[in-house]
């Protein structure tokens, strides 16, 4: 695993060299024991430049959005749920220095009312700043320090609300071991170089967040559908087993981070330049993401990934909610199933969707709603209420269809990857709420929604019990 990780770090630098990436690093930890399974601090230790001996596994840098999961875990312990709606609208915050702070998203857009699940999985910045403004930068800093981020040694006033977006330096090792704590039910222990010997006492655990909050965060980070608004359908984060994934990109594209958590092990990787020189528009998805995928697959060939704890196992309960408002679904609502933490009060029934089919939003979205309508070239329609704004345009219905793979896609099986891991996810959209989608490849029904990459031309069909059907044809070389 160590040799394979070293090779993948070198390959990353070779592939991204023309985009200003000269260095990368990776670390792999066993979740149960904390044992270091692989540690690669630079692409070439024996490089004839001084950078060969720079160890980026323990060199502090800004992690960007990679700290957001700990903010959301804290919020889930403070009464928020994955269904809670957060405002993604233009907003200013006054800092301790009296300066107006106006956070922006990576895509330079505002998304209106966003459920916490989507806000975290798609890594939106504006809702994260709103959330840390609610729970407090001091509470977030305390949570991060309990999670082992000793590099964050300044005051909460020093970091301010930007702590949610990773404006403090941390190390790759701290990041990996903190995510390992999430896999261990929110309990942190130090890493170690070898498994504990017989009779050797293990270091006592330190509670970071509750088991329920940890499980909910991992469930969100492992949800590919919630990731689509921010990252699109095709990402390096499709795996044939459960992996919770988070990326981070620091300001000016100086650092790329990506972390993958399975039940058995945690992988954290970094790409960038030791000098701090910016990369050429390389994000956590395009830079560190492919490296993360390859190292996770290497580790999975040697350590069982296992199954991450489900929210149900830690006392969460499922509730059918409105996808827009996050409230309990009403008769006119687009529906989704969401987990509520133990003890969370069920929300009241959605009152954003009216009987006539119109959608109205709280007044805080009025400016955003007007801009969305203008961008869509639509005129306001529907009723007006004192506390609400004009309706928001709905996306056009496109019917039941397959979005992965797409018709005409061509694939080649990656060399050296076991057949059970060389697969493509099968995904469809437009099915009725709660309807199960059945898949068949070349006429044979498949139990798991994956397409094995066996050579040849294959027909993939998706069906629902209501009779919706879609077909695509792909070629594997």
């Amino acid at each position: 695993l160590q040799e394979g990780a070293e090779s993948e770090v070198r390959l990353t630098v070779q592939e991204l060299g023309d985009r200003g990436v000269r260095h990368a690093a990776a670390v792999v930890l066993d979740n149960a024991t904390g044992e270091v399974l692989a540690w690669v601090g630079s692409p070439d230790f024996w490089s004839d430049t001084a950078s060969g001996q720079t160890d980026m596994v323990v060199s502090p840098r800004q992690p960007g959005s990679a700290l957001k999961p700990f903010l959301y875990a804290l919020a889930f312990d403070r009464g928020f749920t994955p269904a809670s709606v957060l405002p993604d609208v233009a907003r200013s915050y006054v800092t301790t220095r009296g300066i107006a702070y106006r956070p922006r998203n990576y895509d330079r857009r505002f998304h209106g009312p966003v459920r916490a699940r989507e806000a975290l999985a798609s890594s939106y910045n504006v809702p994260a700043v709103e959330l840390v403004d609610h729970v407090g930068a001091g509470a977030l800093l305390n949570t991060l320090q309990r999670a082992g981020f000793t590099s964050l040694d300044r005051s909460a006033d020093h970091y301010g609300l930007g702590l949610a977006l990773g404006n403090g330096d941390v190390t790759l090792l701290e990041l990996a071991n903190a995510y390992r704590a999430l896999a261990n039910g929110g309990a942190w222990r130090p890493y170690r170089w070898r498994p504990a010997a017989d009779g050797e006492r293990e270091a006592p655990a330190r509670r970071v967040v509750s088991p329920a909050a940890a499980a909910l965060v991992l469930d969100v980070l492992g949800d590919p559908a919630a990731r689509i608004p921010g990252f699109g359908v095709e990402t390096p984060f499709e795996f044939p087993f459960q992996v919770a994934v988070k990326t981070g990109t620091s300001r000016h594209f100086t650092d790329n981070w990506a972390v993958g958590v399975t039940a058995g092990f945690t992988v954290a990787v970094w790409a960038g330049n030791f000098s701090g020189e910016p990369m050429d528009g390389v994000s956590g998805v395009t830079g560190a993401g492919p490296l993360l995928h390859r190292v996770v697959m290497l580790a999975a060939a040697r350590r069982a990934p296992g199954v991450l704890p489900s929210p149900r196992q830690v006392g969460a309960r499922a509730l059918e909610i409105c996808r827009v408002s996050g409230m309990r679904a009403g008769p006119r609502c687009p529906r989704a199933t969401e987990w509520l933490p133990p003890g969370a009060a069920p929300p009241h029934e959605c009152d954003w969707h009216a009987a006539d089919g119109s959608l109205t939003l709280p007044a805080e979205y009025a400016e955003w709603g007007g801009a969305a309508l203008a961008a869509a070239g639509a005129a306001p329609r529907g009723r007006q209420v004192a506390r609400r704004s004009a309706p928001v345009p709905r996306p056009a219905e496109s019917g039941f269809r397959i979005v992965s793979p797409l018709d005409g896609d061509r694939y080649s099986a990656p060399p050296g990857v076991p057949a059970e891991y060389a697969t493509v996810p099968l995904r469809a959209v437009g099915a009725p709420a709660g309807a199960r989608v059945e898949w068949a490849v070349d006429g044979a029904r498949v139990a798991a929604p994956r397409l094995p990459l066996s050579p040849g031309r294959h027909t993939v069909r998706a069906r629902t019990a209501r009779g919706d059907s879609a077909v695509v044809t792909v070629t594997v070389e």
Side-chain angles (χ1 to χ4, degrees), residues 315-407:
R317 65 191 190 283
L319 180 72
E320 199 167 48
I321 63 161
C322 171
R323 287 206 309 264
V324 180
S325 71
M327 304 176 200
R328 194 168 65 251
R332 297 287 182 177
C333 294
R335 296 171 178 245
T337 300
E338 188 54 270
W339 294 105
L340 295 186
H348 60 77
E349 186 172 301
C350 175
D351 58 359
W352 293 15
H353 291 89
D356 63 1
S358 63
L359 167 66
T360 53
L361 299 177
E364 64 182 317
Y365 300 105
E367 184 178 344
W368 171 83
L373 285 166
R381 296 179 295 124
R383 62 190 175 97
Q384 297 279 337
V385 229
R387 70 179 187 88
R388 299 190 182 276
S389 68
V392 180
R394 296 178 180 178
E397 294 293 333
S398 51
F400 181 70
R401 69 192 190 281
I402 297 172
V403 294
S404 177
L406 295 176
D407 192 46

